[in-house]
Amino acid sequence: RVHLSDCHPQETNEHLQSHAIPTAMEKGIWSGETIVIDKDGQEIPVSQVILAHKSADGTVERLSTIMRDIRDHKQFEAALKLSEARAQATFTQARVGFVEVDLVTKKCVRVNDCFCQMLGYSKSELADLTVKDITYQNDIPTSIKALKDLHGGQVDSVNIEKRYVRKDGTIFWAETTCYMIQPQGGEA
């Protein structure tokens, strides 16, 4: 007969004894992520549920557990974190200006240091500005049309040459490429 504690490493057993089992006994259920040890001694991450089966008078008669192997999920999470770290490094360290604009407010919600240096504004100053505020007046209609095409789905990306206005009022030309980033899973 295998005891539950034989299936987990010591640290997991301590967590189960001090937190998970008491929670299941009090509330009737506990769920979380733990680790089990397979027959070869390898640790496997699992999603685990512990259920308390109670008698009519509320006394816990027995506990049962359900475990689901989540190795694939953990590998996906690790790959996603690596991808996000790479994207963040590209965004922050690139020698080109990056800016993310909120489609509703048209404000600069995320900028990198290079973009700040190009325009002479701090990140907090740019957060209060719209694209129109930093675009040379004569180039605003072209920018609006390009962004409407992008937002409307007519194109996947937009390349335009336009002028920007720095904080000190000077103007400079830049080749600008815009992409639509679709939010994932309810993210705004």
Side-chain angles (χ1 to χ4, degrees):
R1 186 172 177 173
V2 177
H3 189 271
L4 185 60
S5 63
D6 297 331
C7 300
H8 296 289
Q10 183 61 32
E11 185 178 306
T12 299
N13 280 325
E14 290 170 5
H15 175 72
L16 291 171
Q17 293 298 320
S18 66
H19 179 71
I21 292 173
T23 299
M25 292 178 74
E26 177 187 337
K27 297 182 178 180
I29 189 170
W30 173 87
S31 65
E33 291 183 8
T34 62
I35 296 172
V36 295
I37 301 172
D38 71 8
K39 64 181 173 71
D40 299 321
Q42 296 294 317
E43 292 187 353
I44 299 171
V46 295
S47 172
Q48 184 168 357
V49 176
I50 299 174
L51 299 167
H53 302 274
K54 298 181 180 183
S55 64
D57 68 358
T59 305
V60 175
E61 294 180 332
R62 69 184 191 285
L63 297 171
S64 63
T65 188
I66 302 165
M67 292 181 256
R68 182 175 56 92
D69 184 335
I70 57 172
R71 281 180 282 195
D72 290 344
H73 177 72
K74 289 297 185 182
Q75 289 172 346
F76 175 76
E77 278 182 351
L80 182 60
K81 283 181 183 178
L82 179 59
S83 177
E84 288 172 348
R86 286 178 175 152
Q88 181 64 25
T90 299
F91 186 88
T92 57
Q93 298 171 11
R95 296 307 312 153
V96 296
F98 282 108
V99 60
E100 289 180 12
V101 175
D102 182 289
L103 291 176
V104 175
T105 66
K106 308 296 189 259
K107 290 191 176 188
C108 304
V109 294
R110 185 172 175 229
V111 297
N112 70 351
D113 290 338
C114 187
F115 193 73
C116 290
Q117 291 167 2
M118 292 166 104
L119 291 165
Y121 289 102
S122 68
K123 289 179 182 180
S124 61
E125 289 172 322
L126 282 169
D128 291 330
L129 300 176
T130 65
V131 174
K132 189 175 180 179
D133 296 331
I134 57 175
T135 299
Y136 183 67
Q137 188 69 30
N138 293 351
D139 294 343
I140 291 172
T142 303
S143 294
I144 290 172
K145 184 198 177 315
L147 293 175
K148 280 184 180 178
D149 290 346
L150 182 65
H151 188 253
Q154 287 90 344
V155 293
D156 293 330
S157 65
V158 175
N159 269 329
I160 57 173
E161 286 188 10
K162 64 182 265 184
R163 290 166 282 189
Y164 287 91
V165 181
R166 293 186 180 102
K167 183 177 180 178
D168 66 9
T170 59
I171 297 165
F172 71 100
W173 281 94
E175 183 177 337
T176 302
T177 304
C178 303
Y179 298 93
M180 180 69 70
I181 300 172
Q182 296 295 333
Q184 299 293 318
E187 181 184 323

